[in-house]
Amino acid sequence: MYVDDLLVGCQTEAEVDAIWEEIRNTWEISGSKKATEYLGMSIERDRVNRTLKLGQFKYCGDLPKRFELVGTAKTPATTDVLSSSPEDDLCNQREFQSIVGAIAFPTLCTRPDATFAVNNVAQFAANPKMRHLHAAQRIARYLGSTSDLGLVFGPGENIEIISDSEFATADPLTRRSVGAWVVRMGERGTATGWSTKRQTLVATSSTEAETYALAEAIREAIWQEKLLKDLQVKLDGPIVVREDNTATIQLATSVGSHGRTKHFDMRIKFIRNRIERGDVVVTYIPTSNNVADALTKPLGLSLLAKFRAAIGIL
């Protein structure tokens, strides 16, 4: 017996009916044309206000009980840098990896507000210490405490990608910078995609780190444009990629080479090429409005609330 999940999306109900009928003639299926849950995500529609909310309310709410945790957490992490020391007490590796796997799932689907924190603890999966276990447990309590939150989408087809990178502070051991991007869509600017990732190379300047992050954001923009084309969504022009480092923007839009940047010249040339082809437009965004910044470092309560509102987590 083979079982799989299927979600049908069309512009008209008649198209949905036709697809359902064709599938039903081939396979035995069960379900409803009105989607209320998919792959563990709840789907809530508000036809009056034209919104759709995706959340993992039950899954997140069950996390503290699942791992026998008590108490709540208002943020997924403290603002301190999470590190490791040979003197730290070891924890049960299987327990740690089980929690990390459980808290990672929501950050891939509906909870980008915990993405950096999960990414931060996951790096210690091979040799976790008690401080890392406590950090993972805090994330589970945070997700449980805020299980009613989800991504709220509204009308509109406008899209932008925001890029950012911190410089050599998130990982004191290797000094690899953390780059991030967020895709925002619609009138609400709700996040439809996000990433936070330690860069594979050690950047020697903030401009270099931001350039690596911008190149990754543009790669995502190219894929998003192809996806929207497949979905028959017509864009008014190239996707806008926003960046808060003026030196990086200058490198990306100017002609010529510089001695201090020749070691990452290929990334610069890639960005320029995509701009010249008309695939993307790179514009400046003030750091205070750069939502991708929240995916490169832990946030306090007020900044976390601002970040959640800016990307449609309500």
Side-chain angles (χ1 to χ4, degrees):
M1 178 181 292
Y2 296 89
V3 180
D4 204 353
D5 296 306
L6 179 67
L7 192 65
V8 177
C10 298
Q11 293 184 340
T12 66
E13 191 169 346
E15 291 175 296
V16 174
D17 291 337
I19 293 174
W20 267 78
E21 187 62 29
E22 186 173 347
I23 295 173
R24 189 177 286 109
N25 291 335
T26 307
W27 295 286
E28 181 181 345
I29 63 173
S30 62
S32 169
K33 290 187 295 182
K34 181 181 179 181
T36 57
E37 188 173 350
Y38 187 68
L39 297 178
M41 293 181 287
S42 297
I43 304 171
E44 298 179 354
R45 286 183 175 273
D46 184 338
R47 297 286 185 180
V48 176
N49 295 312
R50 301 181 66 198
T51 63
L52 182 148
K53 184 173 183 178
L54 292 181
Q56 291 160 285
F57 314 123
K58 186 178 186 307
Y59 180 90
C60 290
D62 289 344
L63 283 173
K65 182 180 179 180
R66 176 177 171 183
F67 294 105
E68 300 180 346
L69 304 175
V70 295
T72 61
K74 294 183 178 181
T75 62
T78 68
T79 54
D80 298 326
V81 175
L82 187 63
S83 59
S84 184
S85 172
E87 291 77 28
D88 291 341
D89 293 331
L90 292 170
C91 72
N92 185 298
Q93 185 182 44
R94 185 181 294 274
E95 178 187 4
F96 176 78
Q97 292 177 347
S98 177
I99 294 180
V100 169
I103 60 180
F105 179 44
T107 68
L108 298 174
C109 303
T110 62
R111 296 300 300 271
D113 51 320
T115 297
F116 175 80
V118 171
N119 181 276
N120 211 22
V121 299
Q123 66 177 311
F124 301 104
N127 188 32
K129 307 294 179 66
M130 287 303 299
R131 71 167 70 185
H132 307 137
L133 177 61
H134 293 157
Q137 290 171 336
R138 178 191 177 103
I139 300 171
R141 291 198 302 271
Y142 167 73
L143 291 171
S145 304
T146 58
S147 60
D148 60 321
L149 296 180
L151 290 168
V152 179
F153 300 89
E157 297 176 350
N158 51 302
I159 182 173
E160 66 176 7
I161 300 182
I162 303 177
S163 168
D164 194 36
S165 175
E166 61 84 36
F167 176 51
T169 58
D171 190 350
L173 185 62
T174 67
R175 291 300 180 186
R176 289 189 297 163
S177 301
V178 174
W181 50 258
V182 177
V183 182
R184 301 174 72 207
M185 193 169 186
E187 296 173 1
R188 291 173 170 266
T190 303
T192 59
W194 54 88
S195 172
T196 178
K197 187 176 181 181
R198 274 167 178 73
Q199 296 170 352
T200 55
L201 299 174
V202 177
T204 57
S205 68
S206 59
T207 298
E208 182 180 351
E210 294 274 4
T211 300
Y212 291 154
L214 180 59
E216 290 300 314
I218 289 176
R219 289 172 62 184
E220 177 65 19
I222 295 167
W223 182 85
Q224 289 278 341
E225 191 275 334
K226 292 180 179 179
L227 173 64
L228 292 172
K229 185 177 180 180
D230 289 341
L231 296 174
Q232 300 181 358
V233 176
K234 294 182 180 180
L235 300 178
D236 294 334
I239 292 179
V240 176
V241 181
R242 304 197 186 278
E243 165 66 44
D244 64 2
N245 186 289
T246 55
T248 297
I249 296 175
Q250 186 174 6
L251 282 175
T253 55
S254 63
V255 180
S257 302
H258 306 273
R260 290 180 296 178
T261 62
K262 59 184 179 182
H263 60 292
F264 59 100
D265 188 58
M266 288 187 65
R267 293 300 199 333
I268 298 172
K269 293 296 195 299
F270 165 75
I271 295 170
R272 288 180 187 171
N273 176 253
R274 291 299 178 171
I275 294 173
E276 292 167 359
R277 285 165 50 96
D279 296 331
V280 297
V281 174
V282 177
T283 63
Y284 174 76
I285 185 172
T287 301
S288 58
N289 296 332
N290 189 332
V291 295
D293 182 57
L295 296 180
T296 66
K297 61 188 178 185
L299 300 178
L301 184 57
S302 60
L303 287 178
L304 177 64
K306 179 181 177 181
F307 167 64
R308 290 191 307 219
I311 62 170
I313 298 180
L314 302 171

